[in-house]
Structure formats: C-alpha cells, structure tokens
Amino acid sequence: MSTASRTPIRIKSTWFRPGRPRTPEELAAALAFITWRVAQNMLKSMRRADFDIDPGPQYFDFLAEAVAFAIQVAWRLVHPRYDDPGRVAFMTTLANRTGEELAENRSRLLGEEEPRAIKARFIALLNGRSAEYADFG
C-alpha cells in the first residue's frame, strides 16, 4: 500500500491554555479522545488492507481490542510520570472515557444493549488484557 492511499489522522496536539501542569485526569481525558481516534484509524487501515471486518458487532469488537491495546501503550508511557494515586486517577479516567465512547457508539449504531452494559463489558476486557499485558515491558 502506498503512502498516498493513507489518510493521515488529524489530532490536536496542543493545549488551549499552555504553560500550566495538567492533572492525570485532564491528560487522560484528552488521551481518551485520541485513543478512540487512533483505534478508528487502525480499523480503517485494516479494512483497506482487505481484512474482513464488517460493520456490526465484529467492528466494535475490533475497536474494543484496539482501544485496550492503545491504553496499555499509554499506561507504559505515563507510568513513570505519576505516583500511585496519579496512576489510578489517570487509568480510571482513561478507561471510563474510552469505555463510554465505545458504549455510546455501539449502543447507538447497533442498538443491541444499553451503554452501561457495553461499558462494563469493555472494562472487564480491559482488566483482562491488563493482566495479560502485565508480563510485557
């Protein structure tokens, strides 16, 4: 695949008011949006590469896995920046925000369940993947 056929992902990378430290929650909230966009871009790339990911449950299952992976990467990058309470605040906000986005979209587009149940399933997936990825650096 040539570079010309890829659409770059546009992400805002500066704060509205620069110069002040950001709380773990603020950083996680911004990163949740970016994580969701990156996962969507991963899905588009996979479909362009002719992977059979049809719209429907499979589509959102892929997104959930991609988001869970991106959160693990973010966790490793942010871990040295915060103490234990900061890490908990960061991960809680990041997991909840991305889970809410996934649940809102899946519920609205597929209409199969309430967002709360979808989010709970995503959090369970994320916790399971966190345990599995814990062995990796």
Short mmCIF file of all heavy atoms in Angstrom, two decimals, residues 83-132:
data_model
loop_
_atom_site.label_atom_id
_atom_site.label_comp_id
_atom_site.label_asym_id
_atom_site.label_seq_id
_atom_site.Cartn_x
_atom_site.Cartn_y
_atom_site.Cartn_z
N ASP A 83 2.78 9.27 40.66
CA ASP A 83 2.82 8.37 41.80
C ASP A 83 1.58 7.46 41.73
O ASP A 83 0.78 7.56 40.80
CB ASP A 83 2.87 9.15 43.11
CG ASP A 83 1.68 10.09 43.30
OD1 ASP A 83 0.71 10.05 42.49
OD2 ASP A 83 1.71 10.88 44.25
N ASP A 84 1.43 6.57 42.70
CA ASP A 84 0.32 5.61 42.65
C ASP A 84 -1.06 6.27 42.57
O ASP A 84 -1.87 5.88 41.72
CB ASP A 84 0.38 4.64 43.82
CG ASP A 84 1.48 3.58 43.64
OD1 ASP A 84 1.90 3.36 42.48
OD2 ASP A 84 1.89 2.98 44.64
N PRO A 85 -1.36 7.29 43.39
CA PRO A 85 -2.68 7.92 43.24
C PRO A 85 -2.88 8.58 41.87
O PRO A 85 -3.96 8.52 41.29
CB PRO A 85 -2.72 8.97 44.36
CG PRO A 85 -1.74 8.48 45.36
CD PRO A 85 -0.66 7.79 44.58
N GLY A 86 -1.83 9.16 41.32
CA GLY A 86 -1.91 9.76 39.99
C GLY A 86 -2.14 8.71 38.92
O GLY A 86 -2.91 8.93 37.98
N ARG A 87 -1.49 7.56 39.06
CA ARG A 87 -1.68 6.47 38.10
C ARG A 87 -3.11 5.95 38.14
O ARG A 87 -3.71 5.68 37.10
CB ARG A 87 -0.71 5.33 38.39
CG ARG A 87 0.72 5.68 38.11
CD ARG A 87 1.64 4.50 38.43
NE ARG A 87 3.00 4.97 38.42
CZ ARG A 87 3.85 4.82 39.43
NH1 ARG A 87 3.49 4.20 40.53
NH2 ARG A 87 5.07 5.27 39.32
N VAL A 88 -3.64 5.81 39.34
CA VAL A 88 -5.03 5.34 39.48
C VAL A 88 -5.98 6.35 38.85
O VAL A 88 -6.90 5.98 38.10
CB VAL A 88 -5.38 5.10 40.97
CG1 VAL A 88 -6.87 4.88 41.15
CG2 VAL A 88 -4.60 3.91 41.51
N ALA A 89 -5.77 7.62 39.11
CA ALA A 89 -6.63 8.67 38.55
C ALA A 89 -6.54 8.66 37.02
O ALA A 89 -7.56 8.76 36.33
CB ALA A 89 -6.24 10.03 39.10
N PHE A 90 -5.33 8.53 36.50
CA PHE A 90 -5.13 8.51 35.05
C PHE A 90 -5.85 7.33 34.42
O PHE A 90 -6.63 7.48 33.48
CB PHE A 90 -3.63 8.46 34.73
CG PHE A 90 -3.34 8.29 33.27
CD1 PHE A 90 -3.33 9.39 32.43
CD2 PHE A 90 -3.10 7.03 32.73
CE1 PHE A 90 -3.09 9.24 31.07
CE2 PHE A 90 -2.85 6.88 31.38
CZ PHE A 90 -2.84 7.98 30.55
N MET A 91 -5.58 6.12 34.92
CA MET A 91 -6.17 4.92 34.31
C MET A 91 -7.68 4.88 34.47
O MET A 91 -8.39 4.45 33.56
CB MET A 91 -5.54 3.66 34.90
CG MET A 91 -4.23 3.30 34.26
SD MET A 91 -4.33 3.02 32.48
CE MET A 91 -5.02 1.39 32.44
N THR A 92 -8.18 5.31 35.62
CA THR A 92 -9.63 5.31 35.84
C THR A 92 -10.32 6.23 34.84
O THR A 92 -11.31 5.85 34.21
CB THR A 92 -9.94 5.74 37.28
OG1 THR A 92 -9.31 4.82 38.18
CG2 THR A 92 -11.43 5.76 37.54
N THR A 93 -9.78 7.42 34.67
CA THR A 93 -10.37 8.37 33.72
C THR A 93 -10.25 7.87 32.29
O THR A 93 -11.22 7.90 31.53
CB THR A 93 -9.71 9.76 33.86
OG1 THR A 93 -9.89 10.23 35.19
CG2 THR A 93 -10.30 10.76 32.88
N LEU A 94 -9.08 7.37 31.93
CA LEU A 94 -8.87 6.89 30.56
C LEU A 94 -9.79 5.70 30.25
O LEU A 94 -10.45 5.68 29.21
CB LEU A 94 -7.40 6.49 30.36
CG LEU A 94 -7.00 6.03 28.96
CD1 LEU A 94 -7.33 7.08 27.90
CD2 LEU A 94 -5.51 5.70 28.95
N ALA A 95 -9.87 4.76 31.15
CA ALA A 95 -10.73 3.59 30.93
C ALA A 95 -12.20 3.98 30.86
O ALA A 95 -12.93 3.52 29.98
CB ALA A 95 -10.51 2.56 32.05
N ASN A 96 -12.63 4.84 31.77
CA ASN A 96 -14.03 5.25 31.77
C ASN A 96 -14.40 6.06 30.54
O ASN A 96 -15.45 5.82 29.93
CB ASN A 96 -14.37 6.02 33.04
CG ASN A 96 -14.59 5.10 34.21
OD1 ASN A 96 -15.28 4.09 34.10
ND2 ASN A 96 -14.01 5.44 35.34
N ARG A 97 -13.57 6.99 30.16
CA ARG A 97 -13.88 7.83 28.98
C ARG A 97 -13.91 7.02 27.70
O ARG A 97 -14.80 7.18 26.88
CB ARG A 97 -12.88 8.98 28.85
CG ARG A 97 -12.98 10.04 29.91
CD ARG A 97 -14.20 10.95 29.63
NE ARG A 97 -14.33 11.98 30.62
CZ ARG A 97 -13.89 13.22 30.50
NH1 ARG A 97 -13.27 13.59 29.41
NH2 ARG A 97 -14.06 14.08 31.46
N THR A 98 -12.93 6.16 27.51
CA THR A 98 -12.93 5.36 26.28
C THR A 98 -14.06 4.33 26.31
O THR A 98 -14.70 4.08 25.28
CB THR A 98 -11.58 4.65 26.05
OG1 THR A 98 -11.24 3.88 27.19
CG2 THR A 98 -10.48 5.65 25.73
N GLY A 99 -14.33 3.78 27.47
CA GLY A 99 -15.45 2.84 27.60
C GLY A 99 -16.78 3.50 27.30
O GLY A 99 -17.66 2.91 26.66
N GLU A 100 -16.94 4.74 27.75
CA GLU A 100 -18.17 5.48 27.47
C GLU A 100 -18.32 5.77 25.97
O GLU A 100 -19.42 5.65 25.42
CB GLU A 100 -18.19 6.78 28.27
CG GLU A 100 -18.40 6.56 29.75
CD GLU A 100 -18.00 7.75 30.61
OE1 GLU A 100 -17.61 8.81 30.06
OE2 GLU A 100 -18.05 7.61 31.85
N GLU A 101 -17.23 6.13 25.33
CA GLU A 101 -17.27 6.41 23.89
C GLU A 101 -17.64 5.15 23.10
O GLU A 101 -18.49 5.19 22.21
CB GLU A 101 -15.93 6.97 23.42
CG GLU A 101 -15.92 7.48 22.01
CD GLU A 101 -16.75 8.74 21.82
OE1 GLU A 101 -16.85 9.56 22.74
OE2 GLU A 101 -17.31 8.90 20.71
N LEU A 102 -16.99 4.06 23.42
CA LEU A 102 -17.28 2.79 22.77
C LEU A 102 -18.74 2.39 23.00
O LEU A 102 -19.46 2.03 22.06
CB LEU A 102 -16.35 1.70 23.28
CG LEU A 102 -16.60 0.30 22.72
CD1 LEU A 102 -16.14 0.21 21.29
CD2 LEU A 102 -15.91 -0.74 23.58
N ALA A 103 -19.18 2.48 24.24
CA ALA A 103 -20.55 2.07 24.59
C ALA A 103 -21.59 2.94 23.90
O ALA A 103 -22.58 2.44 23.38
CB ALA A 103 -20.72 2.11 26.10
N GLU A 104 -21.35 4.24 23.89
CA GLU A 104 -22.29 5.17 23.25
C GLU A 104 -22.44 4.85 21.77
O GLU A 104 -23.54 4.76 21.24
CB GLU A 104 -21.80 6.60 23.46
CG GLU A 104 -22.18 7.59 22.41
CD GLU A 104 -23.63 8.03 22.50
OE1 GLU A 104 -24.16 8.07 23.62
OE2 GLU A 104 -24.21 8.33 21.45
N ASN A 105 -21.32 4.66 21.09
CA ASN A 105 -21.34 4.39 19.65
C ASN A 105 -21.94 3.02 19.34
O ASN A 105 -22.77 2.89 18.45
CB ASN A 105 -19.93 4.50 19.06
CG ASN A 105 -19.54 5.92 18.81
OD1 ASN A 105 -19.91 6.50 17.82
ND2 ASN A 105 -18.82 6.52 19.76
N ARG A 106 -21.54 2.02 20.09
CA ARG A 106 -22.06 0.67 19.83
C ARG A 106 -23.57 0.62 20.09
O ARG A 106 -24.32 0.05 19.30
CB ARG A 106 -21.33 -0.35 20.69
CG ARG A 106 -21.75 -1.76 20.36
CD ARG A 106 -20.89 -2.80 21.04
NE ARG A 106 -21.31 -4.11 20.61
CZ ARG A 106 -20.50 -5.12 20.38
NH1 ARG A 106 -19.20 -4.97 20.55
NH2 ARG A 106 -20.97 -6.29 20.00
N SER A 107 -24.00 1.20 21.18
CA SER A 107 -25.42 1.19 21.51
C SER A 107 -26.24 1.95 20.47
O SER A 107 -27.29 1.49 20.02
CB SER A 107 -25.64 1.78 22.90
OG SER A 107 -27.01 1.81 23.21
N ARG A 108 -25.74 3.12 20.09
CA ARG A 108 -26.46 3.96 19.13
C ARG A 108 -26.52 3.32 17.75
O ARG A 108 -27.56 3.32 17.10
CB ARG A 108 -25.80 5.33 19.05
CG ARG A 108 -26.50 6.33 18.14
CD ARG A 108 -25.92 7.74 18.26
NE ARG A 108 -24.49 7.81 18.33
CZ ARG A 108 -23.66 7.80 17.28
NH1 ARG A 108 -24.13 7.69 16.07
NH2 ARG A 108 -22.36 7.90 17.45
N LEU A 109 -25.42 2.73 17.30
CA LEU A 109 -25.36 2.20 15.95
C LEU A 109 -25.90 0.77 15.81
O LEU A 109 -26.43 0.42 14.77
CB LEU A 109 -23.93 2.28 15.41
CG LEU A 109 -23.42 3.71 15.24
CD1 LEU A 109 -21.95 3.73 14.88
CD2 LEU A 109 -24.23 4.47 14.20
N LEU A 110 -25.73 -0.03 16.87
CA LEU A 110 -26.22 -1.41 16.78
C LEU A 110 -27.53 -1.61 17.55
O LEU A 110 -28.26 -2.54 17.25
CB LEU A 110 -25.17 -2.39 17.29
CG LEU A 110 -23.84 -2.42 16.55
CD1 LEU A 110 -22.94 -3.49 17.13
CD2 LEU A 110 -24.04 -2.62 15.06
N GLY A 111 -27.76 -0.76 18.55
CA GLY A 111 -28.99 -0.85 19.32
C GLY A 111 -29.19 -2.16 20.05
O GLY A 111 -30.31 -2.52 20.37
N GLU A 112 -28.11 -2.86 20.33
CA GLU A 112 -28.26 -4.19 20.92
C GLU A 112 -28.37 -4.19 22.44
O GLU A 112 -28.96 -5.09 23.01
CB GLU A 112 -27.14 -5.12 20.47
CG GLU A 112 -25.75 -4.57 20.79
CD GLU A 112 -24.62 -5.40 20.20
OE1 GLU A 112 -24.86 -6.12 19.22
OE2 GLU A 112 -23.52 -5.31 20.73
N GLU A 113 -27.79 -3.22 23.13
CA GLU A 113 -27.83 -3.18 24.58
C GLU A 113 -27.70 -1.75 25.07
O GLU A 113 -27.38 -0.85 24.31
CB GLU A 113 -26.70 -3.95 25.27
CG GLU A 113 -26.06 -5.04 24.59
CD GLU A 113 -24.90 -5.63 25.38
OE1 GLU A 113 -24.99 -5.84 26.60
OE2 GLU A 113 -23.89 -5.88 24.75
N GLU A 114 -27.90 -1.61 26.36
CA GLU A 114 -27.72 -0.31 26.99
C GLU A 114 -26.22 0.00 27.09
O GLU A 114 -25.41 -0.91 27.29
CB GLU A 114 -28.32 -0.33 28.40
CG GLU A 114 -29.82 -0.39 28.40
CD GLU A 114 -30.43 0.85 27.78
OE1 GLU A 114 -29.99 1.97 28.10
OE2 GLU A 114 -31.36 0.69 26.97
N PRO A 115 -25.87 1.28 26.97
CA PRO A 115 -24.45 1.65 27.07
C PRO A 115 -23.77 1.17 28.36
O PRO A 115 -22.60 0.80 28.33
CB PRO A 115 -24.48 3.18 27.00
CG PRO A 115 -25.72 3.49 26.25
CD PRO A 115 -26.70 2.42 26.64
N ARG A 116 -24.49 1.16 29.46
CA ARG A 116 -23.88 0.75 30.74
C ARG A 116 -23.35 -0.68 30.66
O ARG A 116 -22.27 -0.98 31.15
CB ARG A 116 -24.91 0.88 31.85
CG ARG A 116 -24.33 0.69 33.22
CD ARG A 116 -25.34 0.96 34.28
NE ARG A 116 -25.86 2.31 34.03
CZ ARG A 116 -26.58 3.01 34.86
NH1 ARG A 116 -26.90 2.53 36.01
NH2 ARG A 116 -27.00 4.21 34.55
N ALA A 117 -24.13 -1.59 30.05
CA ALA A 117 -23.70 -2.98 29.92
C ALA A 117 -22.51 -3.11 28.97
O ALA A 117 -21.59 -3.90 29.23
CB ALA A 117 -24.87 -3.84 29.43
N ILE A 118 -22.52 -2.35 27.91
CA ILE A 118 -21.41 -2.38 26.95
C ILE A 118 -20.14 -1.86 27.62
O ILE A 118 -19.07 -2.46 27.48
CB ILE A 118 -21.76 -1.55 25.70
CG1 ILE A 118 -22.97 -2.17 24.99
CG2 ILE A 118 -20.56 -1.45 24.76
CD1 ILE A 118 -23.58 -1.27 23.93
N LYS A 119 -20.26 -0.77 28.35
CA LYS A 119 -19.09 -0.22 29.05
C LYS A 119 -18.55 -1.21 30.07
O LYS A 119 -17.34 -1.41 30.17
CB LYS A 119 -19.44 1.10 29.73
CG LYS A 119 -18.26 1.71 30.46
CD LYS A 119 -18.65 2.97 31.17
CE LYS A 119 -17.53 3.45 32.07
NZ LYS A 119 -17.96 4.50 32.98
N ALA A 120 -19.44 -1.86 30.81
CA ALA A 120 -18.99 -2.84 31.82
C ALA A 120 -18.23 -3.99 31.15
O ALA A 120 -17.21 -4.45 31.67
CB ALA A 120 -20.19 -3.37 32.59
N ARG A 121 -18.71 -4.42 29.99
CA ARG A 121 -18.02 -5.48 29.26
C ARG A 121 -16.65 -5.01 28.78
O ARG A 121 -15.67 -5.75 28.81
CB ARG A 121 -18.88 -5.93 28.08
CG ARG A 121 -18.89 -7.40 27.89
CD ARG A 121 -19.84 -7.95 26.86
NE ARG A 121 -19.91 -7.22 25.61
CZ ARG A 121 -20.96 -6.52 25.20
NH1 ARG A 121 -22.06 -6.45 25.93
NH2 ARG A 121 -20.94 -5.90 24.05
N PHE A 122 -16.57 -3.75 28.33
CA PHE A 122 -15.28 -3.20 27.90
C PHE A 122 -14.31 -3.13 29.07
O PHE A 122 -13.14 -3.49 28.93
CB PHE A 122 -15.44 -1.82 27.27
CG PHE A 122 -14.11 -1.16 27.03
CD1 PHE A 122 -13.28 -1.59 26.01
CD2 PHE A 122 -13.67 -0.14 27.85
CE1 PHE A 122 -12.03 -1.01 25.81
CE2 PHE A 122 -12.43 0.45 27.66
CZ PHE A 122 -11.61 0.00 26.64
N ILE A 123 -14.77 -2.66 30.22
CA ILE A 123 -13.89 -2.56 31.40
C ILE A 123 -13.39 -3.95 31.79
O ILE A 123 -12.21 -4.12 32.13
CB ILE A 123 -14.61 -1.86 32.57
CG1 ILE A 123 -14.97 -0.40 32.21
CG2 ILE A 123 -13.78 -1.92 33.85
CD1 ILE A 123 -13.79 0.52 31.94
N ALA A 124 -14.25 -4.96 31.72
CA ALA A 124 -13.82 -6.33 32.01
C ALA A 124 -12.77 -6.78 30.99
O ALA A 124 -11.77 -7.42 31.37
CB ALA A 124 -15.03 -7.27 32.00
N LEU A 125 -12.98 -6.46 29.72
CA LEU A 125 -11.99 -6.79 28.69
C LEU A 125 -10.67 -6.09 28.99
O LEU A 125 -9.60 -6.72 28.94
CB LEU A 125 -12.49 -6.36 27.31
CG LEU A 125 -11.46 -6.45 26.18
CD1 LEU A 125 -11.25 -7.90 25.76
CD2 LEU A 125 -11.87 -5.60 25.00
N LEU A 126 -10.73 -4.81 29.30
CA LEU A 126 -9.52 -4.04 29.59
C LEU A 126 -8.78 -4.61 30.80
O LEU A 126 -7.56 -4.75 30.77
CB LEU A 126 -9.87 -2.57 29.82
CG LEU A 126 -8.72 -1.64 30.14
CD1 LEU A 126 -7.69 -1.64 29.01
CD2 LEU A 126 -9.24 -0.23 30.39
N ASN A 127 -9.51 -4.96 31.85
CA ASN A 127 -8.87 -5.56 33.03
C ASN A 127 -8.20 -6.89 32.67
O ASN A 127 -7.09 -7.16 33.14
CB ASN A 127 -9.89 -5.75 34.16
CG ASN A 127 -10.27 -4.44 34.79
OD1 ASN A 127 -9.53 -3.46 34.77
ND2 ASN A 127 -11.48 -4.39 35.36
N GLY A 128 -8.87 -7.69 31.87
CA GLY A 128 -8.28 -8.96 31.43
C GLY A 128 -7.03 -8.74 30.60
O GLY A 128 -6.01 -9.41 30.80
N ARG A 129 -7.11 -7.79 29.66
CA ARG A 129 -5.95 -7.51 28.82
C ARG A 129 -4.81 -6.91 29.66
O ARG A 129 -3.64 -7.17 29.40
CB ARG A 129 -6.30 -6.57 27.68
CG ARG A 129 -7.24 -7.16 26.66
CD ARG A 129 -6.62 -8.36 25.94
NE ARG A 129 -7.55 -8.90 24.97
CZ ARG A 129 -8.30 -9.97 25.15
NH1 ARG A 129 -8.20 -10.65 26.29
NH2 ARG A 129 -9.12 -10.39 24.23
N SER A 130 -5.15 -6.11 30.64
CA SER A 130 -4.10 -5.52 31.50
C SER A 130 -3.32 -6.62 32.20
O SER A 130 -2.08 -6.56 32.31
CB SER A 130 -4.73 -4.59 32.54
OG SER A 130 -5.30 -3.48 31.90
N ALA A 131 -4.02 -7.64 32.69
CA ALA A 131 -3.34 -8.76 33.34
C ALA A 131 -2.46 -9.51 32.34
O ALA A 131 -1.34 -9.91 32.65
CB ALA A 131 -4.37 -9.70 33.96
N GLU A 132 -2.97 -9.69 31.11
CA GLU A 132 -2.20 -10.40 30.11
C GLU A 132 -0.98 -9.60 29.65
O GLU A 132 0.10 -10.16 29.44
CB GLU A 132 -3.09 -10.71 28.90
CG GLU A 132 -4.17 -11.72 29.22
CD GLU A 132 -5.25 -11.80 28.15
OE1 GLU A 132 -5.11 -11.14 27.07
OE2 GLU A 132 -6.25 -12.49 28.40
#
